[in-house]
């Protein structure tokens, strides 16, 4: 399915500022749908003076009218005139009589979406139309909460038509734990006094220790009485609780955490009150804290593994220096290098929260290690890396780092033995594969000697056995050796859970 940006840009009539405004409005589409107890559809004009739906939000507290997604559909004939008039005249247009949609009576309201002026050269303008589709088939005597919700929706629709909603001063925040209308809604007047509090809002404040009625109280004073003495709190809390700024903050009392979001209500630039949404996020905060603790524990484990591996590498290095046999010294040096390569991966994992690693960073560090350790005094090797590996899950970063360590080491020690030359490593990544080419400018290996050594066997085991990839050696006497590795990314993505 096309994204909102794709659909809007495809019409050839919108700027980046228009798309950003529509994204912010659609981000609050669920709030508008829940307050209006109706489906909310956003339309933008097309090149042939029609309209196309670019977003649709269904209400969570009422039956939807559209059981099939209409995003990407052109406007239906029965709505075209109403939407066109709202767009052309920059005014809210209500249907004169009930509109029948699939044998269901509905009421349609068309609201022009007006974007605020960005600069003097870019004045406010109508960039689309929002329609509210109310199901009249389920009409019943509205409750006080429904009346209040509808009134809040109407005020927000007026703000949409006057370029006052969405509010660009409202910072974008993570959706996890964001309060919704159904979680708890408090209506404030211009002085910050509570004129309505939904049952869920009362329950949230009751769990924090406030047992009285909220209506008729100053929300700022209520929160002041709830918060424990000497407790530090977000300095934006009073501003949010008074409804003066479109911000979001958290408060905590008696072990209960509540998230608050304020939406100032304005009438042609004059503040007339506010909506404060509240949600009990205690369990969410506990889960987040547990995740943070687990992440810290995992990072500490990686750090300790790295330290232990570096200790093992140091012991191998000391043992190699005290060994009189050249063959034993070489074996210990190679083992030390392999252990050090694994330590680099764990060191990288210990620095971040994710269990994925930027393999380019890992390999750059491994490359320096190999070039310094593998080169003999008579060998002057230069390593050159091109392309990008990208991000890989840790369980694949380790075998790939080891395999490339072996290949570069072989290129330096054998391909360039006693000579000056270059080892080139080229990485090429697409959507479904990772290809790596390692080539040296040495003399090449005679036929029959490729794939006989321990290092080559290790590389085959890592690439074919653990990564499910393929590896191939090409050697031309006098022109060096080239090794190509191909790893299917679908294998990596399945292992990483992506």
């Amino acid at each position: 399915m096309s994204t909102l940006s794709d659909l809007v840009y495809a019409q050839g009539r919108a700027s980046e500022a228009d798309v950003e405004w529509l994204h912010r409005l659609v981000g609050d589409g669920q709030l508008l749908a829940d307050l209006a107890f109706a489906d909310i559809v956003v339309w933008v004009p097309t090149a042939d003076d029609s309209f196309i739906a670019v977003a649709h939000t269904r209400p969570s507290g009422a039956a939807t009218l559209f059981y099939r997604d209409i995003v990407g559909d052109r406007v239906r004939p029965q709505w075209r005139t109403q939407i066109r008039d709202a767009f052309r005249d920059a005014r809210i247009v209500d249907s004169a009589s009930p509109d029948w949609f699939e044998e269901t009576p509905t009421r349609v309201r068309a609201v022009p979406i007006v974007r605020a002026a960005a600069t003097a050269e870019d004045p406010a303008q109508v960039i689309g139309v929002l329609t509210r589709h109310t199901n009249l088939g389920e009409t019943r005597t509205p409750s006080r909460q429904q009346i209040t919700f509808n009134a809040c929706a109407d005020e927000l629709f007026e703000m949409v038509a006057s370029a006052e909603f969405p509010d660009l001063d409202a910072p974008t925040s993570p959706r996890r734990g964001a309060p919704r209308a159904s979680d708890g809604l408090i209506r404030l007047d211009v002085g910050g006094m509570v004129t309505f509090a939904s049952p869920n809002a009362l329950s949230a404040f009751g769990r924090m220790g406030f047992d009285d009625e909220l209506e008729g109280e100053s929300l700022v004073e209520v929160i002041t009485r709830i918060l424990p003495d000497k407790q530090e709190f977000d300095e934006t809390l009073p501003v949010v609780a008074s409804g003066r700024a479109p911000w979001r903050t958290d408060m905590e009392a008696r072990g209960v955490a509540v998230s608050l979001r304020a939406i100032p209500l304005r009438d042609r630039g004059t503040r007339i009150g506010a909506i404060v949404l509240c949600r009990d996020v205690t369990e969410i905060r506990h889960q987040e804290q547990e995740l943070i603790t687990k992440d810290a524990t995992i990072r500490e484990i990686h750090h300790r593994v790295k330290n232990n591996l570096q200790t093992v590498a140091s012991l191998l290095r000391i043992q190699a220096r005290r060994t009189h046999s050249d063959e034993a010294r070489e074996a210990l040096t190679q083992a030390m290098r392999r252990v050090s390569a694994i330590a680099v991966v764990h060191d990288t994992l210990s620095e971040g929260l994710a269990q994925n690693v930027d393999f380019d960073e890992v390999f750059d560090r491994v490359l320096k290690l190999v070039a310094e350790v593998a080169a003999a005094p008579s060998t002057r090797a230069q390593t050159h890396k091109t392309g990008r590996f990208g991000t890989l899950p840790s369980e694949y970063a380790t075998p790939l780092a080891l395999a490339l360590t072996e290949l570069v080491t072989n290129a330096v020690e054998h391909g360039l033995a006693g000579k000056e030359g270059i080892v080139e490593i080229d990485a090429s990544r697409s959507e479904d594969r990772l290809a790596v080419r390692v080539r040296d400018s040495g003399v090449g290996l005679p036929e029959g000697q490729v794939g006989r050594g321990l290092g080559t066997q290790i590389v085959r085991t890592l690439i074919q056995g653990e990564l499910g990839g393929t590896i191939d050696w090409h050697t031309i006497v006098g022109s060096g050796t080239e090794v190509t590795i191909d790893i299917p990314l679908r294998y990596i993505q399945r292992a990483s859970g992506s």
Side-chain angles (χ1 to χ4, degrees), residues 25-35 57-61 180-181:
L25 178 62
V26 171
D28 275 321
Q30 193 63 58
L31 171 65
L32 295 173
D34 290 345
L35 290 177
T57 307
R58 296 177 173 87
S60 58
R180 301 159 297 188

Side-chain angles (χ1 to χ4, degrees), residues 139-143 146:
T139 301
R140 60 183 185 273
T141 303
S143 64
Q146 186 170 355

Side-chain angles (χ1 to χ4, degrees), residues 10 48 145 157 171 234-235 243 315 444 459-460 474-475 484:
D48 58 356
Q145 174 170 309
F157 291 142
D234 190 338
E235 60 184 10
L315 293 174
V459 171
R460 287 189 185 278
H474 303 279
T475 180
T484 57

Side-chain angles (χ1 to χ4, degrees), residues 295 298-299 302 348-357 391 394:
D295 286 335
I298 292 172
R299 290 201 307 274
H302 284 303
T348 304
L349 288 169
S350 70
E351 296 173 354
L353 294 177
Q355 287 303 294
N356 295 330
V357 296
T391 301
S394 59

Side-chain angles (χ1 to χ4, degrees), residues 337-472:
R337 186 166 52 245
R338 291 162 186 153
V339 171
S340 297
I342 301 174
V344 169
V345 177
H346 283 280
D347 188 30
T348 304
L349 288 169
S350 70
E351 296 173 354
L353 294 177
Q355 287 303 294
N356 295 330
V357 296
D358 182 352
F359 194 78
D360 292 281
E361 177 186 347
V362 171
F363 186 64
D364 287 343
R365 296 170 63 182
V366 170
L367 203 56
K368 293 179 181 178
L369 174 68
V370 172
E372 292 174 359
V373 177
S378 59
T379 302
R380 288 178 291 177
Q382 295 181 4
T383 55
H384 182 60
K385 169 180 164 289
T386 58
R388 286 189 57 82
F389 291 91
T391 301
L392 297 176
S394 59
E395 58 266 37
Y396 283 80
T398 299
L400 184 58
L402 274 175
L404 293 176
T405 298
E406 293 296 328
L407 292 176
V408 176
T409 300
N410 288 341
V412 174
E413 291 184 340
H414 303 295
L416 302 179
K419 290 190 174 186
E420 179 178 355
I422 298 176
V423 179
E424 297 178 344
I425 305 96
D426 179 70
S428 175
R429 182 165 182 168
S430 63
E431 291 184 359
D432 59 353
R433 61 185 288 271
L434 172 64
V436 185
R437 180 175 60 87
V438 180
R439 181 174 183 175
D440 65 71
S441 60
V443 296
L445 294 175
E447 288 298 331
Q449 293 190 19
V450 176
R452 295 176 55 184
L454 175 61
T456 304
Q457 295 177 24
I458 291 175
V459 171
R460 287 189 185 278
T461 301
L462 294 171
I463 297 299
Q464 297 176 348
E466 296 197 31
L467 297 179
T470 60
I471 183 169
D472 191 21

Side-chain angles (χ1 to χ4, degrees), residues 282-317:
T282 306
E283 289 304 316
I284 293 177
R285 295 295 175 263
H286 284 168
Q287 292 171 8
E288 290 175 347
Q289 189 58 48
E290 288 177 359
L291 288 175
I292 291 173
T293 302
K294 290 179 180 178
D295 286 335
T297 302
I298 292 172
R299 290 201 307 274
E300 179 62 22
I301 290 173
H302 284 303
H303 181 72
R304 293 186 181 185
V305 170
K306 181 262 296 184
N307 289 343
N308 290 339
L309 290 172
Q310 288 180 335
T311 300
V312 172
S314 298
L315 293 174
L316 291 172
R317 184 183 299 110

